[in-house]
Every structure is written in C-alpha cells, then in structure tokens.
Amino acid sequence: MTDTGHDSAARPHPLRWRILGLLGVAQLMLILDVTVVAIALPHMETDLELSRQAVTWTVSAYTLAFGGLMLLGGRTADLFGAKRVVLAGLLVFTAASLVTGLAGSAAVLLGGRVAQGVGAAMLSPSALSLVVTLFQGDERNKALGVWSALGGGGAALGVLLGGALTAGPGWPWVFFVNVPIGLVIFAALARMLPRHEAAAFRPRLDVLGALLVTASSGALIYAFIRAGDAGWLDLGTGWPVLLAAVGYLAFAARQKTAASPMMDLSLLARRPVATGTFLIVTATALMIAMFFLGTFYFQHARDYGALRTGLLFLPIAVATMAGADLTGRTIAAAGPRRLAVAGLVAAAAGMAIPAVSLHPVTVVAGTAIAGAGAGAMFVVASATALGQVAPHESGIASGIVSTFHEFGASIGAAVISSVAAASLTGDTLDGFTNGFVLAAATAAVATLASAVLTPGRPAAAPDQAPADA
C-alpha cells in the first residue's frame, strides 16, 4: 500500500457518515424491490395479463440474478475498485427500473427484473466494501449496525410504499420511484466517494462459476414453478431438477480448480456456517411465502385495495423487526440454539393459524407471529454463520450468507406459487390453505433440524474460535 493510502486510512474521511447515508438509501432500494413489488403483483398480473408463472418469475428473476451474481460483483469490486462498481451498479439498477416500469409485456418486465438483479449484485457487495473501508474501530461496528438494520426497515417501508404507490399513481411507480433517487445518489456519490487504488492482488473473475450456479438455480426454480401446472412427478418437472443437480456438481468442481474461485466450499462443510446458511434459506423462504400468500389472499380473495393490503402487512413487518431486535439483545445469554428453535416454533405456529382458519384476522395475526419468528432466525443465522470464522474469511462467509438469502427468496416464491396455484388462478381458497400448511410443516421440520444442528452456546469471537470450528 502506498503512503497516500496509509494516510487516508489513518485519517477518517470527513464525509463518511453522509456517504453511509447515501449507500444505505441505495441498499434500501435493493431490499425494497422484493416487498414493494409483492404488494403490486396482483395489479401487474391484471394489467399485463401475466400468467401465474410470469407473476412468480417477477419475484424470482430479480432475487435469482441478485443472489447468483453477488459474489461475482464482490470480486469485480476487488478488481476494478469499489467506487467504480458501486456507480456502475447504481446506473444499471436505475436504468433497469425505468425499463421495468415502462414494460408493456411479460418479456420486457422479466428482462427488466433480471437487469435490476444484475445491478443489485454489483451495487450491494461493493457498497458494503466501502462501508468497511471508510470506518474503523467502534465507528465501523456502528456503521455495520445501521447497515444490518436496513433489512427489517426495508420490509416495513416496502409494504407501505408498495401499497401507496400502487393505489395512487399505479404499479409502474414501484419501479419509477427508483429513477430519481438513483440519479441523485449517483451524482452525490460520484463527487463524495474517495478514489481508492485497487488492491495489489487482483483476483480473476470466475464468470463460468457464476453462470453455473445461476443457471442451475434457475433450472431448479423453473421446475418448482412448472410443478404447479404439470405436477410434482411430471417428467417435465423432473428433468430441470436433474439438470440443476448436474450444474451444482459442475460448480463444485469448478470451485476446486478455478484460480480465483467465487466461493470457498470448505466453509460450507463447517457446522456453524452450514447451519447459518440453512437457517437463512428457511427464514427467507418463509418470509416470501408470507408476503406472496398474504398479498394475493387479501387482493384476490377479499378484493382489498393495494393500500389496505399494505397497511395490513405493517404488523408483520413490525413484528419481524421486533423479533430481530429481541434476539440480538438476548443471543449472547440464551445461545443460538434456543433462539433458533424458538423462532422456528413461532414461525410454525403462526403459519398454522391461517392454515386452520383462513380469515383476514387470522392471516394478519398468524403471519405477524411467524414474522417475529423469522426475524429471530435472521439474527441467529448471521451470528451462527459468521461468529466462528477468522477475520480473513469474514468477507466470503458474508457473501455466502447473502447469496443464500436471495436464493431462499427465489425458491420460496417458486414453491409457494405452485402449491397455491389453484387459488392464484381460480376462485377457491384451497390453494392458500395448502400454502400455509406447507409453510407451517416446513418450519416444523426445520425446528427439529435446528435443534440438532445449531450450536448450543454463543459463537466465539473470531480470534477465540476453536481450532476445529
């Protein structure tokens, strides 16, 4: 590192807190683009005459591209510099938002969603890299705390914003709203962000690895979506699953031979990281199932407007944040295993309520309880997966958790869409009931797995982690 770099590291950037605010708003846009769109889905389905498959891909295409390319985005930031990649990702996401809002067909809509995911995959990891670079010591912990809090805040803001925009100017504005915000943030960051030299060691981009994992996940999600029409045992459902399995094996082989692999698969062999990854996938899939089932139940079955639906989701978002906050305060004393089991029990019980009695009151109450459990699972997942990795492994471990977070959203939307297909395309409520039953059963099975897999004591600090961790 040059002397200039050392001096800049020794003297904190004077605009670091303003930069954090701008990067935080940019990250919030990426998070919002799942929940804000969920509220608008029924209106998009009607206006664009979308099939059930296209409705599901509207969620999954974004999260699949986001998750599948996120590690590649982080590598790109190492290669070209975080500032350049943040600005490029912001431009891609903003332009894609404009195209998606202008969409007049399913093809343009889904193409725009994929492009949004590409921009998000560039922006999110490089923005986090800048946060880590700009802050030191206790300030860094505070900054990362603010960054982590965006998840729960994004869920709460997303349901309200999605309902208000859809009920007001119309569903295209859930995408158009990103355009002026994105341009303002781009102009401000282009002026404020310091120009950092790229690291002396520049890892190669494992483009083949990124394509393999994204294509394999896409084939798996395609099979899950197709099962809603053709059946789970249909040959046309089975061959994409087989193709996905072959693709994942090829990805694993690629990671062992690549000069600069995307993912350190040996981390996934460690019990804490594997358990945290399992919990984050489960929590995200359950959360997406709540939003997907709830928004279509309220707007299709009950004929509620988008704004009313958004307001009904507010208790769920608040409960999710409360569950996360309480877990964060008590995990050191209670231990991750107890809280993981408690969170999954709450999720199972909450989802079982509307499965037994499908009514607006039971849907709100049940999903709020399940949301509190999911919020607890998010905290336990991160603490478990990241609590026992060495400092030099924290970046790739964080990337693994973030990647599986997005894959969980993709899988959750695909599976719940197929299970609830009868209600999404017809007048029966059976599909919604089946969806809640599946979600409750999934949480119940995950409870048993979590009780066995999750460590019973708080994760040790990285410098105190046991050698066999």
Side-chain angles (χ1 to χ4, degrees):
M1 182 178 291
T2 64
D3 292 339
T4 301
H6 177 77
D7 292 342
S8 62
R11 293 192 301 269
H13 194 285
L15 300 177
R16 61 193 181 281
W17 290 106
R18 293 184 186 179
I19 292 173
L20 175 65
L22 292 168
L23 292 174
V25 174
Q27 175 72 2
L28 191 60
M29 285 198 303
L30 310 186
I31 297 169
L32 281 172
D33 240 50
V34 177
T35 54
V36 74
V37 170
I39 300 297
L41 281 176
H43 291 260
M44 297 163 65
E45 177 187 34
T46 300
D47 289 354
L48 298 181
E49 298 181 349
L50 301 179
S51 64
R52 180 190 62 82
Q53 295 91 332
V55 168
T56 308
W57 276 113
T58 302
V59 175
S60 294
Y62 174 72
T63 53
L64 176 62
F66 192 176
L69 300 176
M70 188 181 300
L71 291 176
L72 187 65
R75 291 292 193 185
T76 305
D78 290 336
L79 184 61
F80 297 105
K83 177 180 179 178
R84 293 177 181 175
V85 180
V86 160
L87 296 177
L90 192 55
L91 277 183
V92 170
F93 182 83
T94 302
S97 297
L98 178 61
V99 171
T100 309
L102 294 172
S105 66
V108 176
L109 176 72
L110 298 182
R113 290 294 278 167
V114 170
Q116 280 188 304
V118 172
M122 297 170 66
L123 174 56
S124 184
S126 50
L128 181 56
S129 174
L130 282 170
V131 172
V132 172
T133 302
L134 290 170
F135 293 90
Q136 303 294 327
D138 290 340
E139 279 196 347
R140 177 183 290 175
N141 293 331
K142 292 178 182 178
L144 291 175
V146 171
W147 190 265
S148 299
L150 294 173
L157 184 59
V159 294
L160 290 177
L161 186 62
L165 291 174
T166 304
W171 67 260
W173 280 91
V174 303
F175 302 110
F176 288 155
V177 72
N178 295 330
V179 178
I181 296 174
L183 292 176
V184 169
I185 294 175
F186 177 88
L189 289 178
R191 179 173 57 86
M192 291 184 184
L193 283 177
R195 187 186 301 269
H196 286 291
E197 295 183 6
F201 171 70
R202 294 189 174 188
R204 297 178 182 176
L205 293 179
D206 184 16
V207 177
L208 177 58
L211 292 177
L212 281 172
V213 72
T214 305
S216 301
S217 300
L220 186 63
I221 291 165
Y222 169 79
F224 288 155
I225 294 175
R226 191 180 189 280
D229 298 319
W232 294 94
L233 300 179
D234 183 76
L235 182 63
T237 302
W239 73 259
V241 175
L242 179 61
L243 185 62
V246 172
Y248 285 133
L249 290 175
F251 172 74
R254 169 66 181 176
Q255 296 313 287
K256 293 181 179 180
T257 59
S260 183
M262 284 179 56
M263 184 182 293
D264 183 359
L265 294 180
S266 66
L267 282 176
L268 287 174
R270 300 183 191 178
R271 178 182 167 189
V273 177
T275 303
T277 301
F278 164 73
L279 289 174
I280 202 72
V281 169
T282 304
T284 311
L286 289 173
M287 181 65 71
I288 290 298
M290 281 186 259
F291 280 105
F292 204 96
L293 291 172
T295 191
F296 276 96
Y297 169 73
F298 288 133
Q299 296 188 62
H300 265 194
R302 293 293 173 175
D303 201 28
Y304 292 170
L307 182 58
R308 186 178 182 182
T309 299
L311 290 172
L312 287 172
F313 268 99
L314 184 57
I316 303 168
V318 172
T320 303
M321 289 188 288
D325 179 67
L326 180 61
T327 303
R329 294 173 183 271
T330 58
I331 190 170
R337 180 184 296 161
R338 291 179 181 176
L339 294 176
V341 170
L344 282 163
V345 167
M351 288 298 208
I353 292 174
V356 173
S357 174
L358 196 63
H359 184 274
V361 174
T362 57
V363 170
V364 172
T367 50
I369 294 171
M377 291 164 60
F378 283 127
V379 175
V380 175
S382 298
T384 302
L386 305 179
Q388 295 188 28
V389 296
H392 69 276
E393 298 172 321
S394 60
I396 189 65
S398 298
I400 290 173
V401 171
S402 298
T403 297
F404 278 96
H405 180 282
E406 300 305 321
F407 284 163
S410 300
I411 293 170
V415 172
I416 212 67
S417 167
S418 288
V419 172
S423 293
L424 298 180
T425 58
D427 296 328
T428 178
L429 296 179
D430 291 345
F432 294 128
T433 299
N434 292 339
F436 283 114
V437 168
L438 175 65
T442 300
V445 172
T447 301
L448 299 177
S450 179
V452 174
L453 297 174
T454 310
R457 65 185 187 280
D463 58 349
Q464 298 174 335
D468 60 350

